[in-house]
Amino acid sequence: MAPAIAVGGGDMPVFEGRITVYVVACVIIAAFGGLMFGYDIGISGGVTAMDDFLERFFPRVYEKKKHAHEDNYCKYDNQFLQLFTSCLYLAALIASFVASRVCSKQGRRPTMQIASFFFLVGVVLTSAAFHISMLILGRLALGVGVGFANQAVPLFLSELAPAKIRGALNISFQLFITIGIFIANMVNYAMSNVHPYGWRLSLAIAGVPALFLCVGSMSICETPTSLIERGRLEEGRVVLQRIRGVANVDNEFDSIVHACEMANQVTKPFSKLMKRSSRPPLVIAILLQVFQQFTGINAIMFYAPVLFQTVGFGSEASLLSAVITGLVNVFSTLVSVYAVDKAGRRALLLEAVVQMFITQSIIGIILAIWLKPTGSLNKVEAIIVVVLVCVFVMGFAWSWGPLGWLIPSETFPLETRTAGFAFAVSTNMLFTFLVAQAFLSMLCNMKAGIFFFFAAWIVVMGLFAMFLLPETKGVPVDAVTERVWKQHWFWKRFMDEEEVKPAAKAPSGIHPHLT
């Protein structure tokens, strides 16, 4: 029998429940939205390193790559090649705001189904592309799918999970992103010698997780919060009993009803989000997304094969090195699944800052000293760079990667949760776009200095985590305002009593509307 969980503290009611098989199944199915995203991150860099793909769509880059005398740092610098990777994130940015409204009005599950549909359309267009315009159109459709999935899945996971293990279950989204990256790296490695259509197969396989999410989402439940928010109270109670595995869910049900009543009083959530009392979670959510991208992780994961070719690996060896990096990413994320609800969010973030700063700095020093515009690193130096990249990925994978999605999904009150998370998703997509669009040009112009650029940002985010980021371990999502923001040394000054007073304390009994 699954262990019972009781969550409460102080004057907060106790929420009873068990870890049920059904919840685990729902989590796995929903997390395939993360696998879709991760596969795309991993496949983009591999495909853009394949000669058949470059020769068909980017012949200038292909010719530039073949010239041995070209600058190591600049041979992939092409705005259209970068646009192939980055345009997806512009579409996702815009789609996330539409997805926010769909999430609120129709529910988390339909939003995931829409995500899988658009992703499948994008897969068909990109894998069958015969012209660059068709390729870019397919990437835009993939972006809409990513925007909808990244909006719905983390919210779904946070609202479904018991508070005591919310961190671990929510991180399954990031875990599946890393699994998607690893699978993509394996596919790239296998398809690199399949001529001339290896790149088409690599892009087509992205449809597998999207199809699984599309079909699987038909068998999972909607979250109780979403059902109750839309007036389906009794259905919400039944679902809550099912996912908690106990009959007595009165306290948690009543808390959700109370939060929904407060939320329903807010007719313009985006306007509410601009008020002073909404500033703490909004600032935290936006900065986490900015900092997540300025660790430099996506630059490395997008372009890992390209990066490893730059330091001297051949095409096949560079893809194999990217596979190793992807494997490290998966296993390191499992560390976060285990530790996040034990060590807490802040401890993981602060430890990783030290680890990532050291590795980025050493990589920059090695490249600055030994990698000249022509020539390459020797075998030992190149292997050291791969090892350092792996250590960097370890730190990111158990901290800023998963927690960048977890913390924003658990810190907004219900009335601004989907709107606030839309800002988080759109910020992530915006800065992912900027990094993806600019990285190869920055590598060309800054050379090894780009790693010192990211290292400097890591120092800034370390100070942010130390002084401004509160701990949310074990706090029910609908009690965060009272138990986190109003207790924090800095953010409590933004908690105006007249704005938060109605939601300050959840009722302890059964709501009169439900008797």
Side-chain angles (χ1 to χ4, degrees):
M1 181 179 291
I5 296 172
V7 178
D11 61 351
M12 296 300 294
V14 173
F15 298 160
E16 297 181 4
R18 301 185 182 279
I19 306 170
T20 63
V21 173
Y22 181 69
V23 164
V24 173
C26 288
V27 166
I28 291 172
I29 291 170
F32 264 78
L35 200 150
M36 290 191 323
F37 185 31
Y39 186 87
D40 183 82
I41 291 173
I43 213 68
S44 300
V47 166
T48 53
M50 292 182 185
D51 288 346
D52 294 322
F53 177 82
L54 291 175
E55 190 174 13
R56 182 176 186 91
F57 295 107
F58 304 98
R60 291 180 62 185
V61 178
Y62 176 73
E63 290 301 320
K64 197 174 181 182
K65 176 184 174 183
K66 291 302 179 184
H67 293 160
H69 64 274
E70 288 286 352
D71 192 321
N72 271 319
Y73 292 99
C74 298
K75 59 186 174 182
Y76 289 96
D77 181 23
N78 181 278
Q79 288 298 311
F80 287 105
L81 180 61
Q82 292 174 109
L83 184 63
F84 164 75
T85 297
S86 63
C87 67
L88 178 150
Y89 300 97
L90 276 183
L93 188 161
I94 297 169
S96 63
F97 287 101
V98 179
S100 168
R101 186 166 182 80
V102 175
C103 227
S104 292
K105 300 298 182 183
Q106 304 299 323
R108 284 49 164 162
R109 189 176 71 164
T111 309
M112 289 188 282
Q113 291 169 338
I114 293 170
S116 60
F117 170 77
F118 275 102
F119 204 86
L120 286 168
V121 171
V123 167
V124 171
L125 290 173
T126 54
S127 60
F130 52 84
H131 188 270
I132 192 170
S133 59
M134 187 174 176
L135 192 69
I136 298 300
L137 187 62
R139 292 289 293 172
L140 293 174
L142 290 171
V144 175
V146 167
F148 271 74
N150 286 15
Q151 172 70 25
V153 174
L155 291 178
F156 178 88
L157 296 175
S158 283
E159 292 175 351
L160 201 71
K164 191 173 182 180
I165 58 166
R166 184 177 65 245
L169 292 188
N170 187 282
I171 286 174
S172 64
F173 178 68
Q174 177 68 19
L175 175 63
F176 273 61
I177 290 177
T178 64
I179 292 172
I181 293 171
F182 173 68
I183 292 173
N185 290 334
M186 291 286 288
V187 170
N188 282 332
Y189 182 65
M191 296 300 167
S192 61
N193 292 317
V194 178
H195 303 289
Y197 297 117
W199 64 270
R200 291 191 187 276
L201 295 174
S202 291
L203 295 175
I205 292 172
V208 175
L211 189 61
F212 186 91
L213 178 65
C214 183
V215 175
S217 60
M218 297 177 185
S219 64
I220 63 178
C221 65
E222 183 58 85
T223 69
T225 300
S226 179
L227 290 169
I228 295 169
E229 183 182 22
R230 289 178 288 130
R232 296 157 65 177
L233 280 71
E234 287 308 316
E235 189 177 348
R237 177 189 284 275
V238 171
V239 169
L240 188 61
Q241 290 172 330
R242 184 179 186 185
I243 64 176
R244 296 292 177 257
V246 294
N248 182 15
V249 293
D250 290 348
N251 284 335
E252 185 172 4
F253 178 67
D254 196 44
S255 177
I256 295 172
V257 169
H258 180 73
C260 289
E261 286 188 336
M262 296 301 101
N264 288 336
Q265 292 176 16
V266 178
T267 58
K268 297 180 179 179
F270 283 98
S271 298
K272 169 71 174 177
L273 203 57
M274 296 299 108
K275 291 190 175 180
R276 179 179 171 86
S277 62
S278 297
R279 206 166 297 166
L282 182 63
V283 170
I284 293 292
I286 289 175
L287 286 181
L288 278 171
Q289 306 311 312
V290 174
F291 290 150
Q292 187 189 75
Q293 296 312 308
F294 278 96
T295 59
I297 185 63
N298 273 347
I300 288 175
M301 299 313 291
F302 284 146
Y303 300 113
V306 171
L307 178 64
F308 291 138
Q309 283 190 43
T310 296
V311 300
F313 286 92
S315 178
E316 188 170 316
S318 70
L319 287 172
L320 181 59
S321 298
V323 169
I324 295 170
T325 305
L327 193 61
V328 168
N329 199 11
V330 172
F331 282 104
S332 299
T333 305
L334 289 172
V335 173
S336 185
V337 171
Y338 173 79
V340 68
D341 290 314
K342 294 179 173 63
R345 283 69 163 148
R346 295 179 75 252
L348 292 176
L349 293 172
L350 291 170
E351 184 281 330
V353 161
V354 177
Q355 187 171 329
M356 293 190 297
F357 175 78
I358 292 172
T359 51
Q360 286 276 33
S361 299
I362 296 175
I363 291 172
I365 291 170
I366 290 174
L367 298 187
I369 295 175
W370 287 295
L371 184 65
K372 305 306 178 185
T374 57
S376 62
L377 299 179
N378 64 42
K379 185 176 181 180
V380 173
E381 292 163 349
I383 290 174
I384 291 173
V385 169
V386 172
V387 170
L388 288 169
V389 167
C390 287
V391 175
F392 170 83
V393 169
M394 281 183 193
F396 178 87
W398 61 53
S399 60
W400 293 86
L403 301 183
W405 294 110
L406 168 62
I407 294 172
S409 74
E410 64 184 8
T411 51
F412 285 100
L414 180 59
E415 60 265 28
T416 57
R417 189 171 298 158
T418 57
F421 200 71
F423 270 95
V425 173
S426 61
T427 302
N428 186 284
M429 295 300 106
L430 173 61
F431 281 87
T432 302
F433 165 77
L434 292 175
V435 171
Q437 185 65 25
F439 176 71
L440 294 180
S441 297
M442 291 172 69
L443 183 63
C444 178
N445 290 284
M446 298 175 68
K447 297 181 169 49
I450 192 171
F451 294 96
F452 298 114
F453 170 81
F454 288 127
W457 274 101
I458 290 171
V459 173
V460 174
M461 64 185 71
L463 295 172
F464 160 80
M466 182 176 293
F467 295 110
L468 294 177
L469 189 68
E471 181 59 69
T472 52
K473 180 183 72 171
V475 181
V477 288
D478 293 317
V480 168
T481 296
E482 183 70 18
R483 295 173 58 179
V484 174
W485 300 122
K486 292 184 72 174
Q487 307 303 322
H488 191 267
W489 73 272
F490 180 77
W491 297 117
K492 64 182 180 182
R493 71 191 68 185
F494 295 91
M495 295 289 104
D496 298 326
E497 287 298 323
E498 63 271 17
E499 290 190 33
V500 300
K501 187 175 180 181
K505 183 178 178 181
S508 57
I510 302 302
H511 198 276
H513 291 179
L514 308 172
T515 55

